[in-house]
Structures are given as C-alpha cells and as structure tokens.
Amino acid sequence: MKLTRHTRLGDDPGSSGSLNDLSFLLIIFFIVTAGFNVNKGFLMRLPDTAVPRIVQKNDLLRCVLESSGTVLIDGKKMTMDGLEETVRHTLTGHPNMTFVLAIAPDTPYQNVIDVIGIIRKLGVENFSFRMEDN
C-alpha cells in the first residue's frame, strides 16, 4: 500500500504584501497633505471691545457696491481705479479714515474682493462693511 502525502496549500504570502504597501503609502499621503490644507482668508484686525471708538463724521468714507459691480462714493459712479485714487486722496487728508462699504445682496463675490483688495493695498486700517437691504 502506497501512502500519499497530502499537503495543505496555505495562503499566498505575496498577495497581502502589496496591500500593506498600499495602505502605508495612503497613510503617509494623508498625513503629508493634511498639513497643506490651510485656508487663511482675510486677516483683519478686529476692534477692541473694551474701549469704544469714536469716529468723526468727516473721517468716514462711504462706498456703495451695487449688484452690477458699480462703485458709488457720495452718489458718484467710479471705476476701481477712481476708487483707489479717491481713497488715497482721502487717506492723505484724514489718516484716521474709516472706509464704510455697503454691499448689495446680489453683488458678485469677485467685485467685493476687488474693493477689499484696494483697501488693503492702500493700508486703510479702519474698515467696515454691511449688506444692504433689498
């Protein structure tokens, strides 16, 4: 009588090795990319709540941004270049100038960003904005 030896075939050890490598690479990828997902937005200095600030009426520069992208200062239509020149001129005469921006509800986001960019470029420290009612 001839005895045959039966051997069990185990799992292939090479099949799980690539899965381990892949999972390790994915973990490293997510750790590295998590550090780069930082959105700073606009960094603006907020007023101190302990000391109320009094703003003189002649230090205010009121600007209205309409939904069509038109900029109005004291009821006069202006371009972005005209806005920059007006703010620069007002800032030289009134160093404590406060820029007040009223935004129409349907104004494109980019127009608001353009106005804020001009204000930041000129170094206006006092800035206020609000949404207009319909």
Side-chain angles (χ1 to χ4, degrees), residues 1-133:
M1 169 156 149
K2 189 173 185 183
L3 296 173
T4 59
R5 191 181 258 188
H6 294 287
T7 57
R8 263 186 168 172
L9 295 176
D11 292 337
D12 183 15
S15 66
S16 65
S18 61
L19 185 61
N20 290 338
D21 291 343
L22 179 64
S23 62
F24 176 76
L25 289 175
L26 285 173
I27 290 170
I28 297 300
F29 173 77
F30 287 119
I31 288 173
V32 170
T33 57
F36 295 118
N37 191 11
V38 177
N39 186 6
K40 291 185 180 180
F42 285 110
L43 300 176
M44 293 187 185
R45 195 172 43 149
L46 295 175
D48 188 15
T49 57
V51 180
R53 184 179 177 132
I54 299 172
V55 178
Q56 301 296 326
K57 192 173 185 177
N58 57 356
D59 284 342
L60 286 176
L61 181 62
R62 290 185 173 94
C63 177
V64 177
L65 185 59
E66 294 180 339
S67 59
S68 62
T70 306
V71 177
L72 300 173
I73 293 184
D74 296 330
K76 295 182 232 171
K77 291 184 181 181
M78 295 197 166
T79 63
M80 291 295 176
D81 294 332
L83 172 69
E84 185 174 353
E85 191 60 38
T86 303
V87 171
R88 183 178 286 123
H89 177 67
T90 307
L91 196 57
T92 56
H94 302 281
N96 293 330
M97 179 191 78
T98 300
F99 187 83
V100 180
L101 179 63
I103 306 166
D106 297 335
T107 304
Y109 182 72
Q110 187 60 46
N111 293 346
V112 177
I113 296 302
D114 292 341
V115 172
I116 293 174
I118 290 171
I119 299 306
R120 291 194 62 197
K121 181 174 88 171
L122 294 175
V124 175
E125 291 186 15
N126 305 319
F127 173 72
S128 174
F129 68 93
R130 65 179 174 86
M131 296 297 291
E132 285 188 336
D133 296 331

